[in-house]
């Protein structure tokens, strides 16, 4: 029998790319490809790219250069595919700029990978005549992408992403997503439920529903009615085995009353919400075409907090959007002070070709952007540190995900996505453990298991492990 062909996929950017990489891997597993974690011994390398900011877009070219050099040095030929949002945005340009590329494939065509690869193979090193597939096909790729095998699910661990909605119709003036991922499309609810049930059968306990505008979800249910995100979350929370549900990324405009109430009503819905605001200035929010003002954002935060008092927020910010004055930036700082975020992502505005903001006058000088991002990040870091410090002494459920760095250690996630290190048996991976947080550092928390599913199922082991780290220290 011939050796199986080896596949290496590297994802840049957002969680949807992580999910897409898995679906590409599942598709190619059916063609006999096995995953490798080294690009150097792969027969096929897929770079799953991100176009959101200029820096992200450029990364692919440095990676392609590195691959080409490694291939030349080793005197070997690999097939190289560029997928993701740079593929969609730049298409054939990529072939011109990087002659080692055999295939450029946009995010809506991943189900066609086997035939595209076969076609590229038939051309057999006939570079630079690579293949470009960036159409938005009429068929739904999800109807053709094969599901993961049980073994693949188990390998990926107890948490999983599931795309439920893709694309965006909001057209924020800085953003490429409506062009790279296309118009908003929601997957039908029964198909998502099937996928989640399958994941749960394979041992998944936590699903994060993902979409560029996930709370605009409006998929058809089994009766042909349109279901919203709340109905979807409710249905998923009922799937046997699923203990936790999250959703990301949301738009403030789509946080309706029902979804806010869901945070009170559905215990499996984790008390952590990523809600990008981008700016605290109404003038800038209008120029960004965000379709909401700071008052609406603050009102949503207050209403979600009233529904679920232990909720924590994270957000995205852009500094240096065209025309942003010192006063506008001060409004952003003031909004951050007001809300108090548990964690956040902040970026310097990056001008993207083809977006309305790229053509706006009054681009902010780089030095000013740098000054503002430092000030904002310092404030956000302080807020994160304060949030983490307030977790000391608290008890919450940790979903144990994997072994830690040292023998006997396990790593799990808190409801707020903090990494938590505990001591316990390997068999506890995939279970919820009740943990009392003992120490807090910048990267993670550590604590002691006080109870939880594994120990309830194995009472004989309870005394051996509960509070063991305390005993070890004594
Ligand atoms: N420049 C800087 N940041 C951007 N984002 C999106 N487009 C740009 C851009 N042109 C940020 C936004 C968004 C996150 C995913 O990336 O904050 O919420
Ligand atoms: Fe981009 Fe705005 Fe859509 Fe988010 S809501 S993906 S920032 S256009």
């Amino acid at each position: 029998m011939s050796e199986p062909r080896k596949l290496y996929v590297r994802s840049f950017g957002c969680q949807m790319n992580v999910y897409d990489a898995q679906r590409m891997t599942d598709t190619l597993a059916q063609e006999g490809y096995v995953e490798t974690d080294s690009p150097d011994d792969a027969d096929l390398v897929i770079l799953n790219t991100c176009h959101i900011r200029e820096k992200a877009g450029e990364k692919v070219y440095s990676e392609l250069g590195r691959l080409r050099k490694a291939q030349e040095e080793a005197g070997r030929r690999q097939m190289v595919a560029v997928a993701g949002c740079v593929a969609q945005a730049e298409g054939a340009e990529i072939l011109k700029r990087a002659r080692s590329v055999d295939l450029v494939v946009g995010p809506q065509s991943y189900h066609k990978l086997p035939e595209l690869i076969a076609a590229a193979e038939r051309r057999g090193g006939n570079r630079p005549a690579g293949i470009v597939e960036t159409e938005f096909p009429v068929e739904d790729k999800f109807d053709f992408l094969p599901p993961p095998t049980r073994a693949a699910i188990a390998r990926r661990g107890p948490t999983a992403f599931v795309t439920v909605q893709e694309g965006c119709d909001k057209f924020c003036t800085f953003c490429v997503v409506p062009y790279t991922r296309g118009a908003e499309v929601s997957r039908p609810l029964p198909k998502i439920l099937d996928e989640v049930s399958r994941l749960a059968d394979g041992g998944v306990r936590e699903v994060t529903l993902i979409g560029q505008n996930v709370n605009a979800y409006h998929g058809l249910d089994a009766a042909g009615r349109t279901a919203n995100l709340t109905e979807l979350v409710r249905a998923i929370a009922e799937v046997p085995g699923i203990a936790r549900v999250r959703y990301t990324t949301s738009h403030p405009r789509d946080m309706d009353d029902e979804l806010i109430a869901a945070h009170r009503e559905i215990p499996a819905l984790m008390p952590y919400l990523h809600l990008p605001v981008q700016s605290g200035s109404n003038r800038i929010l209008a120029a960004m075409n965000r379709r909401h003002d700071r008052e609406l954002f603050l009102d949503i935060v207050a209403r979600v907090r009233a529904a679920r008092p232990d909720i924590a927020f994270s957000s995205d910010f852009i500094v240096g959007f065209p025309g942003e004055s010192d006063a506008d930036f001060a409004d952003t700082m003031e909004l951050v002070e007001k809300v108090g975020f548990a964690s956040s992502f902040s970026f310097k505005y990056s001008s993207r070709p083809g977006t309305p903001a790229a053509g706006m006058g009054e681009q902010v000088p780089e030095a000013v952007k740098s000054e503002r991002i430092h000030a904002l990040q310092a404030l956000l870091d302080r807020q994160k540190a304060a949030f983490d410090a307030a977790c000391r002494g608290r008890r919450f459920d940790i979903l144990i995900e994997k072994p830690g760095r040292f023998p006997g250690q396990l790593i799990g996630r808190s409801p707020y996505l903090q990494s938590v290190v505990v001591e316990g048996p390997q068999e506890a991976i995939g279970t919820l453990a009740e943990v009392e947080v003992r120490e807090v550092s910048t990267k993670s928390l550590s604590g002691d298991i006080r109870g939880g599913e594994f120990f309830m199922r194995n009472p004989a082991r309870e005394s051996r492990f509960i509070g063991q780290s305390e005993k070890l220290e004594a």
Side-chain angles (χ1 to χ4, degrees):
M1 230 176 82
S2 63
E3 282 267 301
R5 288 177 295 179
K6 290 191 186 147
L7 164 70
Y8 171 77
V9 189
R10 171 143 185 227
S11 276
F12 302 84
C14 69
Q15 292 156 336
M16 193 170 285
N17 268 6
V18 175
Y19 174 82
D20 286 346
Q22 293 177 349
R23 301 306 299 263
M24 287 191 259
T25 306
D26 298 334
T27 303
L28 293 171
Q30 289 202 333
E31 305 293 309
Y33 280 92
V34 295
E35 266 182 282
T36 165
D37 48 17
S38 152
D40 295 332
D41 64 16
D43 300 291
L44 168 62
V45 174
I46 301 179
L47 300 182
N48 193 18
T49 60
C50 172
H51 194 61
I52 197 93
R53 284 167 293 275
E54 191 181 351
K55 250 196 203 147
E58 285 305 310
K59 265 188 204 156
V60 58
Y61 291 104
S62 52
E63 187 61 21
L64 285 169
R66 207 199 61 76
L67 278 173
R68 184 178 180 168
K69 203 159 157 253
Q71 283 190 29
E72 279 167 8
E73 275 166 15
R76 120 187 89 70
R77 172 85 172 79
Q78 277 173 319
M79 179 160 297
V80 176
V82 175
C85 292
V86 177
Q88 189 62 43
E90 296 186 2
E93 278 301 303
I94 298 173
L95 298 180
K96 284 197 202 138
R97 242 183 105 172
R99 297 192 168 245
S100 55
V101 173
D102 302 273
L103 172 63
V104 174
V105 53
Q108 303 313 327
S109 302
Y110 294 157
H111 55 303
K112 296 187 188 159
L113 266 174
E115 54 178 287
L116 292 168
I117 288 167
E121 263 167 1
R122 280 196 299 275
R123 296 197 178 180
N126 187 16
R127 293 169 180 180
I131 289 176
V132 179
E133 177 66 58
T134 50
E135 291 298 303
F136 286 100
V138 280
E139 75 268 18
D140 178 0
K141 68 179 166 188
F142 291 107
D143 287 339
F144 299 91
L145 288 166
T149 60
R150 254 185 104 88
I153 296 170
R155 210 169 40 245
R156 290 168 189 164
T159 64
F161 296 129
V162 175
T163 291
V164 303
Q165 175 282 329
E166 199 170 344
C168 184
D169 295 341
K170 294 279 192 299
F171 290 92
C172 297
T173 53
F174 52 80
C175 187
V176 291
V177 165
Y179 314 100
T180 56
R181 290 276 173 172
E184 223 176 63
V185 178
S186 295
R187 294 177 66 194
L189 187 142
K191 289 190 179 162
I192 299 167
L193 270 185
D194 281 352
E195 186 170 333
V196 172
S197 301
R198 207 183 162 96
L199 290 168
D201 277 348
V204 166
R205 306 297 311 279
E206 172 180 311
V207 286
T208 302
L209 309 178
I210 53 177
Q212 274 88 26
N213 220 173
V214 74
N215 55 345
Y217 175 82
H218 57 280
L220 292 181
D221 68 9
R225 256 182 3 100
T226 303
N228 61 20
L229 184 66
T230 307
E231 292 164 276
L232 178 65
V233 169
R234 229 181 262 289
I236 288 175
E238 301 281 307
V239 172
I242 296 299
R244 290 174 156 189
V245 186
R246 305 176 186 275
Y247 62 91
T248 196
T249 289
S250 296
H251 192 286
R253 270 285 291 266
D254 296 314
M255 283 307 298
D256 59 29
D257 292 342
E258 209 182 328
L259 186 56
I260 292 174
H263 281 274
R264 175 176 48 234
E265 293 162 3
I266 307 175
L269 190 54
M270 288 293 97
Y272 189 51
L273 180 59
H274 183 63
L275 194 61
V277 62
Q278 316 296 0
S279 168
S281 153
N282 280 342
R283 219 172 59 83
I284 296 299
L285 288 169
M288 287 176 163
N289 189 34
R290 286 289 293 173
R291 303 157 191 243
H292 67 83
D293 54 17
R294 59 183 273 133
E295 288 74 25
L296 180 77
F297 183 83
L298 291 170
D299 181 56
I300 291 165
V301 167
R303 285 193 288 138
V304 180
R305 278 191 170 138
R308 181 82 205 231
D310 62 344
I311 197 138
F313 289 90
S314 70
S315 197
D316 290 343
F317 299 89
I318 296 176
V319 303
F321 183 82
E324 186 188 69
S325 65
D326 285 343
D328 293 318
F329 178 63
D331 284 347
T332 298
M333 294 291 275
E334 201 241 342
L335 179 137
V336 172
E337 293 274 12
K338 241 189 187 135
V339 175
F341 292 95
S343 167
S344 277
F345 302 92
S346 46
F347 312 99
K348 290 189 213 174
Y349 168 72
S350 167
S351 173
R352 307 307 287 131
T355 58
M360 289 181 185
E362 283 193 88
Q363 298 282 329
V364 174
E366 193 55 32
V368 176
K369 286 187 198 168
S370 295
E371 219 173 88
R372 289 181 187 163
I373 196 99
H374 284 131
L376 176 61
Q377 284 178 349
L379 174 58
L380 292 168
D381 286 350
R382 280 201 300 280
Q383 291 192 342
K384 180 183 181 310
F387 180 81
D388 288 346
C391 291
R392 189 180 287 118
R394 271 182 77 176
R395 268 188 194 209
F396 34 50
D397 281 347
I398 303 301
L399 176 58
I400 310 279
E401 288 182 10
K402 56 185 180 193
R405 197 139 52 102
F406 302 106
Q409 268 188 353
L410 301 172
I411 298 182
R413 294 259 186 190
S414 77
Y416 307 111
L417 286 179
Q418 296 144 306
S419 270
V420 185
V421 182
V422 294
E423 294 200 12
Q426 295 279 315
E427 301 96 302
I429 291 173
T431 69
L432 286 170
E434 195 189 333
V435 167
E436 185 171 326
V437 177
R438 185 166 32 87
E439 273 174 46
V440 174
S441 72
T442 44
K443 285 233 168 69
S444 62
L445 314 179
S446 56
D448 301 305
I449 294 181
R450 300 295 187 199
E453 293 172 340
F454 175 77
F455 304 97
M456 274 158 40
R457 288 205 294 265
N458 302 273
R461 306 189 65 163
E462 194 161 338
S463 58
R464 273 182 54 209
F465 286 103
I466 292 185
Q468 192 194 49
S469 21
E470 263 179 357
K471 272 183 242 142
L472 290 175
E473 273 178 353

